[in-house]
C-alpha cells in the first residue's frame, strides 16, 4: 500500500519552482561560487550543480508537511553541492528549509535546531582556524552562521511570536466562553429570583381569595357572603398592586435591583393585619434594628410565605410571628397549629419551602421547617453580613 503524503501548500510549490528556475538560469549563465580548480571541487562536471539544486527544490514542497525530512535531504544535497561548482540558488533554498524546520517542526526540533546550528557555527570557525593557524578560516564559521544559524534563529523568533498570538487567541476565546457562562448563570439566577417574587407576592392573595370564595359559595348567609366578597376584593387589589410592582422591576432599565416600593420589615404589621382579616389569629413579636435591604426583603417574604402556608394548612389556633436581631443575625420564626392528615383549605404548588430555603441560602443563612410538638415551625437565620451558608432542612412541602 502506497504511503499517501499530505498535499503541499501552493506557496511551497511556488518557492520550489522559483528556486529551481532561478538556479537553472544561473547555471545557464555560468555563474557559480567556485571554479574547477578549487580544492573543494571533487565533481567538476558542468551539469553536476543541477543535481543538488533539483534535490533541494524537491524538498521545498515538504517544508510544512514534512519539515524534518526536507531538512535532512536538503542537508545531504547541500553537502553534495559543496563538492561541485555550486549554485547560489541551492544555498538560498537550504536556508529556507532550515527556517521552515524550526517554524513548522515539532517543539523539540524548534528547540534543538538553533542550538545545533549555533554549535556548528562556533566549531566551523574555531576548529579550522586553530588547525590551519589562519584567521581567514573563521570565515567558514561565518558562512555556516549565515546559511544555518541565521535562518534557524529567525524561525525560532517567528515561532515564538506565532505561539504567543495563538495563546492570546485561546485566552480571548476562554474569556468569551466564561463571559457567556456568567451571562447564562446571571439569567438563570434572575429567572429564579423573579419566580420566587411572583410566588411570594401572588400566593398569599390568591390563597385568601380561594378560601373566602369557597366560604361564600358554601354558606347561604348574605352578611357572610358580603364579608367574604370584601376580603376577596381587598386581596385582589393587593395582588394587582404586587403584580404591577413586579412588572415595574422587569421593565426597569435603570439597573436598580429593586424599586422604591420594595417591602420592608416595617410592613409586617400591615401583613399581619391582612392575615387577621383572612381569618388567622396572628400574634406579632418584632424587635430589630437597622437591617440591610436584601435581608429585610428576605425576612418579609419568609414571614409572608409562612402566613400563606398557615392560611392554607394550619389547624385552628394562634399563629406566632417572631422577628428578633441578635449576635449579628436576624432570627425569623413563625409557628402555627399542626395536625397530621388535615386537608389543605387551598391547593399549593409545593414551592413555598423551596423559595424560603433559597432566600436564606443566598444570604448565607440557615433555614428549618417542620413539625415540632404539635405546631408547624418555620425558622430562618439571616446574617446581617453574608457568611457561610448553614445546612438547611425541610419538612413537608407547602
Amino acid at each position: 500500500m502506497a504511503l499517501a503524503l499530505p498535499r503541499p501548500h501552493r506557496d511551497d510549490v511556488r518557492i520550489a519552482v522559483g528556486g529551481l528556475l532561478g538556479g537553472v538560469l544561473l547555471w545557464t549563465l555560468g555563474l557559480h561560487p567556485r571554479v574547477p580548480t578549487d580544492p573543494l571541487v571533487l565533481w567538476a562536471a558542468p551539469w553536476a550543480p543541477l543535481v543538488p539544486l533539483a534535490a533541494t527544490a524537491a524538498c521545498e514542497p515538504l517544508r510544512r508537511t514534512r519539515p524534518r525530512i526536507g531538512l535532512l535531504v536538503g542537508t545531504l544535497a547541500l553537502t553534495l553541492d559543496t563538492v561541485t561548482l555550486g549554485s547560489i540558488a541551492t544555498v538560498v533554498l537550504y536556508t529556507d528549509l532550515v527556517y521552515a524546520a524550526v517554524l513548522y517542526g515539532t517543539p523539540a526540533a524548534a528547540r534543538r535546531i538553533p542550538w545545533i546550528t549555533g554549535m556548528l557555527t562556533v566549531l566551523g570557525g574555531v576548529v579550522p582556524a586553530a588547525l590551519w593557524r589562519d584567521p581567514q578560516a573563521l570565515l567558514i564559521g561565518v558562512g555556516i552562521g549565515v546559511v544555518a544559524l541565521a535562518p534557524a534563529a529567525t524561525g525560532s523568533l517567528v515561532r515564538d511570536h506565532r505561539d504567543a498570538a495563538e495563546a492570546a487567541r485561546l485566552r480571548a476565546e476562554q474569556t468569551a466562553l466564561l463571559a457567556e457562562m456568567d451571562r447564562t448563570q446571571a439569567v438563570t439566577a434572575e429567572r429564579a429570583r423573579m419566580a420566587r417574587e411572583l410566588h411570594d407576592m401572588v400566593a398569599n392573595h390568591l390563597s385568601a381569595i380561594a378560601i373566602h370564595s369557597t366560604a361564600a359559595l358554601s354558606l347561604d348567609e348574605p352578611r357572610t357572603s358580603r364579608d367574604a366578597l370584601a376580603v376577596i376584593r381587598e386581596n385582589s387589589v393587593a395582588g394587582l398592586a404586587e403584580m404591577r410592582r413586579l412588572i415595574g422591576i422587569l421593565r426597569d432599565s435603570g439597573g436598580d435591583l429593586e424599586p422604591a416600593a420594595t417591602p420592608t420589615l416595617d410592613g409586617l404589621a400591615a401583613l399581619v393585619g391582612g392575615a387577621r382579616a383572612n381569618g388567622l389569629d396572628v400574634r406579632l413579636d418584632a424587635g430589630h434594628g437597622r437591617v440591610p435591604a436584601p435581608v429585610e426583603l428576605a425576612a418579609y417574604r419568609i414571614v409572608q410565605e409562612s402566613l400563606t402556608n398557615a392560611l392554607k394548612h394550619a389547624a385552628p389556633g394562634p399563629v406566632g410571628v417572631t422577628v428578633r436581631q441578635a449576635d449579628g443575625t436576624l432570627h425569623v420564626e413563625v409557628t402555627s397549629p399542626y395536625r397530621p392528615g388535615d386537608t389543605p383549605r387551598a391547593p399549593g404548588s409545593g414551592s413555598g419551602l423551596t423559595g424560603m430555603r433559597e432566600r436564606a441560602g443566598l444570604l448565607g443563612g440557615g433555614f428549618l421547617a417542620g413539625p415540632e410538638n404539635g405546631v408547624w415551625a418555620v425558622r430562618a437565620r439571616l446574617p446581617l453580613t453574608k457568611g457561610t451558608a448553614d445546612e438547611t432542612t425541610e419538612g413537608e412541602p407547602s
Side-chain angles (χ1 to χ4, degrees):
M1 182 176 179
L3 179 62
L5 293 176
R7 185 175 181 178
H9 196 278
R10 59 184 179 181
D11 290 341
D12 298 340
V13 176
R14 291 171 182 169
I15 293 174
V17 173
L20 181 61
L21 294 179
V24 171
L25 178 62
L26 293 176
W27 176 79
T28 302
L29 297 176
L31 301 177
H32 303 288
R34 287 177 291 275
V35 296
T37 58
D38 195 310
L40 293 177
V41 178
L42 303 179
W43 190 10
W47 51 268
L50 296 178
V51 177
L53 173 64
T56 307
C59 293
E60 283 294 338
L62 303 176
R63 64 192 297 273
R64 297 174 193 261
T65 58
R66 295 289 188 272
R68 182 182 297 180
I69 296 176
L71 180 60
L72 178 60
V73 176
T75 301
L76 296 176
L78 183 66
T79 303
L80 179 61
D81 182 76
T82 59
V83 299
T84 66
L85 296 179
S87 173
I88 298 298
T90 301
V91 176
V92 173
L93 290 175
Y94 179 77
T95 59
D96 182 68
L97 292 176
V98 176
Y99 169 82
V102 176
L103 181 60
Y104 301 114
T106 63
R111 291 191 302 268
R112 293 171 183 169
I113 292 176
W115 284 100
I116 294 174
T117 55
M119 182 178 62
L120 292 176
T121 299
V122 174
L123 294 177
V126 174
V127 174
L131 293 177
W132 299 342
R133 304 291 182 177
D134 187 355
Q136 291 186 353
L138 293 173
L139 296 178
I140 298 176
V142 174
I144 297 175
V146 172
V147 174
L149 178 59
T154 303
S156 179
L157 183 63
V158 173
R159 180 171 182 140
D160 289 342
H161 283 288
R162 185 192 66 180
D163 292 344
E166 180 66 15
R169 184 186 66 82
L170 292 177
R171 285 195 299 269
E173 291 181 354
Q174 292 175 354
T175 301
L177 179 60
L178 291 175
E180 179 63 20
M181 293 175 61
D182 291 341
R183 187 194 69 82
T184 302
Q185 292 175 356
V187 171
T188 302
E190 183 65 12
R191 291 179 62 182
R193 185 179 78 91
M194 300 312 298
R196 288 192 300 269
E197 285 290 302
L198 181 62
H199 176 274
D200 293 345
M201 287 189 299
V202 176
N204 181 53
H205 301 295
L206 290 184
S207 297
I209 292 172
I211 292 172
H212 286 277
S213 61
T214 301
L217 292 173
S218 61
L219 298 177
D220 188 15
E221 295 181 7
R223 181 178 179 82
T224 303
S225 298
R226 284 195 302 270
D227 292 343
L229 290 175
V231 174
I232 291 173
R233 182 185 182 282
E234 180 182 348
N235 280 276
S236 299
V237 171
L240 287 173
E242 293 282 12
M243 287 297 296
R244 291 192 188 98
R245 192 184 73 84
L246 179 60
I247 293 172
I249 296 175
L250 294 174
R251 290 181 174 175
D252 182 22
S253 59
D256 296 332
L257 294 179
E258 297 290 342
T262 300
T264 65
L265 292 179
D266 294 335
L268 286 180
L271 182 64
V272 169
R276 289 171 180 161
N278 290 330
L280 291 179
D281 179 13
V282 186
R283 301 171 184 177
L284 175 63
D285 180 11
H288 56 85
R290 188 171 182 178
V291 179
V295 178
E296 198 168 23
L297 176 61
Y300 182 92
R301 292 303 188 198
I302 290 173
V303 172
Q304 183 183 45
E305 178 60 26
S306 298
L307 292 177
T308 300
N309 289 341
L311 181 65
K312 293 189 294 184
H313 300 282
V319 177
V321 177
T322 303
V323 179
R324 291 292 179 185
Q325 181 177 337
D327 301 327
T329 303
L330 187 67
H331 297 269
V332 179
E333 179 179 344
V334 180
T335 59
S336 58
Y338 171 76
R339 282 198 300 265
D342 282 352
T343 302
R345 287 173 286 178
S349 64
S351 59
L353 291 177
T354 301
M356 289 189 285
R357 174 175 55 82
E358 289 178 351
R359 289 186 182 277
L362 290 173
L363 295 173
F367 175 79
L368 296 171
E372 294 181 6
N373 301 322
V375 298
W376 182 272
V378 174
R379 293 187 177 89
R381 298 182 301 279
L382 307 177
L384 302 182
T385 57
K386 187 174 181 180
T388 304
D390 297 331
E391 183 179 358
T392 61
T393 59
E394 292 185 1
E396 299 175 3
S398 62

